[in-house]
Amino acid sequence: MLPAHVEPRDLHVTAMHALFTEEADAAVRSILRDAVLAAGFELAIAWRLDREAYVLRCVATYQDPERPGAPVFEADSMRMTFSYGEGLPGLTWARAATTFMHDLASEPLFVRRSAAAMAGLQSAVAFPIHLGGEIIGVAEFYDRKGHVPDAPELGTLLALEAPLALGITRVAGAEDRGRVDRSLGLLLDVGEALGDAAELAPRLARVASRAAAWIGGFCLVHLLDATGARLVAVDHEDPEKAALLRQPCMYRSPALDSTKSPLARVIRTGVAHVLPETSDAMLAATMSDAEALAVLRAVSITAGMLVPIVWQGRALGALTLAASRADRRILRTDVKVAEELARKLALAVLSDRAAQGEREAALAREEHDRLYRASQAAVRAREDLLAIVSHDLRNPLVAIKLSATQLGREAEGDARVKGKTALILRSADRMDRMIRDLLDASRIETGGLALTVAREDVRLVVQEAIDHFKPLAAPKGIQIEEDLPDEPLFAEVDRERVLQVLWNLVGNAIKFTPEGGVVTLCLRREGSSARIDVADSGPGIRSDHLPHVFDRYFHAETNKATGTGLGLFIADGLVRAHGGTIHVESEPGVGARFWFTLPIEGAG
């Protein structure tokens, strides 16, 4: 049972303590116990994803001892496995979102109805457990009442996702036990250091020292102030290299509008930047300060990551963690640990600033409460949206596509039936694209958008888009013209996301261009950026609509305005995540021109 002095908001701390002091399966059970007692449920079950068998297996269970009565249901669950989409665990896995079942007896997708009825269980809630952006398990909570968790209860449960993820990882042996334990030790030590009553500067120094030892290299903490990004803490596991990193050149703040500096980009976009491996050429391409470049070469960097320090969408700074050992790799769990470390730093920075004056602290608490309520409302709205998208749209959509495909196969020579099934499949694909747009828009707004960047020839990316759309434009007699440079134009980009931007812009151009018209794609270097233009000879856009074309859900007044109205909003978010900008100009009756920029490798 939770100690009397531990409140629901402290569950994360007690969970991390259990992970560090108990065996893995016992720690997971302790986390379930605390969640059950704090949120008022009767029974909890944790499942882990067996990737080889591609099923969910029971890891641990916990039943409130003051409300016993579900031993059969608990025993049945421990013996069962669930495939993708099967039962409540499999359904939550497939939806990738929180799932509610208000009446288990009448829920056709709930396969343990008999055992639940014997135990008197009536309602359930389940949520997926993520690690590094992937689902690795599911947590379920049951009650004898029609228990629909309110926002604080749901927040209590969701706050335990990260500890459950680490616990399940240890149970499954998916990561090296020593590394997981070191990560848990880091977070516990950092929590203790930041919770100290000392001044912020020595606390940050302790964090940097501990993080440098964990990463096997160095740690830099930059915080924003009136002068820019100020280096406030630095350390290296090697004292001699730590002294190098404390030279005056390392304390110079980069221009926050720089397209060259990864630090400036991370602070500006709020998106983590991971470097699985580094090279001297990569360092030279990202550093304008020759002295600082010499220092980084001297300390040696084999891999690293930069994580934004943010709170409620407000940029506070950035955390840099870089390895100096050749055998140190950056794993998905490392990124999650770094993000948790950055979250703790954000809380410490805000607390320190709030403590500067009693009046300022009172105002900060009021603002925090307001933002917390707003964030909880946003979480509820987002969960509702994801539940609708995943359950009420995506699952029936899968059934429609499977049924239409089967009908098409059985129709054989019946052209009329084949035509109808083809129409159904096209409509279902369009609905699936709309669902993906909704999910992308949600990630952009909440700062959850991640990029997988690599060195790409932008010219080849644009050519791929041209080759894709030429056959689609031919039936309308639309000519696609291209103006591409002869020489490669390299940039660090997420190829699929850049293609997604082009898919949207070129698709819109073809849709609004009349038969026999022209769509032109142009790529050229413009200063330190690559500029990509998409122009059409369509009807153009009204001048009063131009300021709103990148707004969420915006539709121009046209009989061709279909879809979610999210395409240009997503395109804008994807371009900004790359550190670029997107623009539009148009003259009614002549056509429209969209263009966006991407920072060029080695520019500046």
Side-chain angles (χ1 to χ4, degrees), residues 310-315:
V310 296
W311 185 256
Q312 301 292 348
R314 175 187 172 191

Side-chain angles (χ1 to χ4, degrees), residues 55 72 84 105 148 259 261 317 350 368 451 559 592:
V55 295
V72 174
Y84 186 83
V148 178
T259 59
S261 166
L350 288 178
H368 177 272
L451 300 179
N559 57 8

Side-chain angles (χ1 to χ4, degrees), residues 208-230:
S209 175
R210 186 65 180 84
W214 172 76
I215 197 67
F218 66 84
C219 171
L220 308 176
V221 180
H222 285 85
L223 294 181
L224 290 177
D225 62 14
T227 64
R230 183 167 56 92

Side-chain angles (χ1 to χ4, degrees), residues 332-546:
R332 290 191 302 270
T333 49
D334 294 330
V335 179
K336 196 171 187 69
V337 170
E339 289 173 341
E340 176 65 14
L341 178 55
R343 188 187 70 84
K344 291 178 179 293
L345 287 170
L347 287 172
V349 170
L350 288 178
S351 298
D352 181 74
R353 292 176 180 177
Q356 293 176 4
E358 182 175 347
R359 182 176 179 180
E360 291 181 357
L363 292 175
R365 285 193 297 271
E366 291 177 6
E367 179 67 5
H368 177 272
D369 291 341
R370 185 187 69 80
L371 291 175
Y372 178 80
R373 290 192 298 271
S375 68
Q376 291 303 304
V379 167
R380 289 196 300 273
R382 186 166 63 256
E383 291 293 343
D384 290 343
L385 172 62
L386 293 177
I388 291 171
V389 168
S390 300
H391 181 245
D392 295 343
L393 295 179
R394 178 157 278 176
N395 288 346
L397 192 60
V398 172
I400 290 171
K401 294 175 73 172
L402 290 175
S403 299
T405 301
Q406 185 64 29
L407 284 173
R409 290 173 180 168
E410 295 173 355
E412 294 183 353
D414 192 333
R416 180 175 175 275
V417 173
K418 280 187 170 293
K420 294 294 185 182
T421 55
L423 176 61
I424 292 172
L425 288 173
R426 286 196 300 273
S427 299
D429 287 339
R430 180 169 173 270
M431 178 66 76
D432 194 53
R433 287 194 298 272
M434 294 170 71
I435 291 172
R436 291 199 301 270
D437 281 353
L438 287 171
L439 296 176
D440 276 346
S442 177
R443 294 186 185 105
I444 288 171
E445 285 199 332
T446 58
L449 180 69
L451 300 179
T452 304
V453 299
R455 185 174 184 263
E456 300 283 356
D457 185 348
V458 181
R459 182 187 54 167
L460 297 182
V461 178
V462 176
Q463 186 64 58
E464 181 177 339
I466 293 171
D467 294 342
H468 172 81
F469 279 101
K470 275 189 175 180
L472 301 180
K476 290 180 63 177
I478 295 174
Q479 182 179 356
I480 295 185
E481 297 181 347
E482 57 190 77
D483 182 10
L484 307 182
D486 296 328
E487 299 297 324
L489 200 56
F490 289 102
E492 291 285 329
V493 299
D494 186 325
R495 181 186 186 90
E496 294 303 318
R497 290 301 195 179
V498 174
L499 282 173
Q500 186 177 350
V501 175
L502 288 170
W503 258 225
N504 184 276
L505 298 182
V506 180
N508 280 349
I510 293 174
K511 178 169 64 176
F512 290 103
T513 298
E515 293 185 3
V518 177
V519 172
T520 304
L521 278 83
C522 174
L523 169 65
R524 67 178 182 272
R525 177 168 185 153
E526 191 174 81
S528 61
S529 300
R531 170 170 167 163
I532 303 171
D533 290 55
V534 178
D536 63 61
S537 58
I541 304 170
R542 284 171 31 185
S543 59
D544 58 327
H545 285 173
L546 288 175

Side-chain angles (χ1 to χ4, degrees), residues 13-315:
V13 175
T14 61
M16 297 301 292
H17 181 74
L19 286 170
F20 191 64
T21 58
E22 300 177 18
E23 292 296 323
D25 52 353
V28 174
R29 190 171 187 273
S30 295
I31 296 170
L32 295 179
R33 174 200 64 200
D34 293 347
V36 163
L37 299 181
F41 286 90
E42 181 172 335
L43 174 68
I45 304 175
W47 304 84
R48 71 172 178 88
L49 176 59
D50 182 338
R51 296 193 178 279
E52 292 185 3
Y54 208 59
V55 295
L56 289 167
R57 301 185 186 278
C58 182
V59 174
T61 67
Y62 180 81
Q63 184 176 348
D64 187 349
E66 296 183 4
R67 296 193 293 171
V72 174
F73 181 82
E74 187 176 5
D76 281 355
S77 299
M78 294 176 68
R79 289 192 296 268
M80 296 181 72
T81 61
F82 289 92
S83 59
Y84 186 83
E86 179 187 17
L88 179 55
L91 187 62
T92 305
W93 174 18
R95 291 177 175 176
T98 302
T99 303
F100 301 91
M101 287 189 176
H102 308 298
D103 185 2
L104 299 177
S106 63
E107 179 58 60
L109 297 177
F110 188 74
V111 298
R112 291 169 286 171
R113 287 191 298 276
S114 298
M118 292 176 59
L121 299 176
Q122 180 180 344
S123 62
V125 59
F127 63 84
I129 300 170
H130 295 83
L131 185 66
E134 297 179 359
I135 293 177
I136 65 164
V138 171
E140 296 178 301
F141 298 87
Y142 292 87
D143 208 332
R144 294 173 184 269
K145 308 184 299 296
H147 187 169
V148 178
D150 56 21
E153 289 175 336
L154 189 58
T156 295
L157 299 180
L158 294 178
L160 295 174
E161 181 185 359
L164 282 172
L166 293 172
I168 288 175
T169 297
R170 292 178 63 190
V171 170
E175 296 286 354
D176 173 69
R177 174 64 180 269
R179 170 169 277 193
V180 173
D181 286 346
R182 286 192 297 272
S183 297
L184 292 173
L186 168 70
L187 295 177
L188 286 172
D189 289 350
V190 166
E192 180 180 351
L194 293 177
D196 198 315
E199 293 293 326
L200 182 62
R203 286 186 284 156
L204 294 180
R206 289 170 59 188
V207 171
S209 175
R210 186 65 180 84
W214 172 76
I215 197 67
F218 66 84
C219 171
L220 308 176
V221 180
H222 285 85
L223 294 181
L224 290 177
D225 62 14
T227 64
R230 183 167 56 92
L231 181 61
V232 296
V234 55
D235 210 342
H236 195 291
E237 65 172 353
D238 183 336
E240 292 183 0
K241 292 183 177 180
L244 289 175
L245 290 167
R246 295 190 179 100
Q247 294 187 41
C249 62
M250 298 298 295
Y251 289 87
R252 297 169 188 154
S253 173
L256 295 182
D257 59 352
S258 169
T259 59
K260 189 175 184 179
S261 166
L263 175 66
R265 180 187 299 181
V266 166
I267 293 175
R268 189 171 62 251
T269 65
V271 179
H273 186 66
V274 181
L275 300 169
E277 59 183 23
T278 63
S279 65
D280 187 74
M282 183 182 297
L283 282 178
T286 58
M287 296 295 296
S288 300
D289 190 316
E291 290 183 86
L293 176 60
V295 169
L296 294 181
R297 283 171 170 163
V299 300
S300 178
I301 301 176
T302 59
M305 52 186 158
L306 292 88
V307 179
I309 301 175
V310 296
W311 185 256
Q312 301 292 348
R314 175 187 172 191

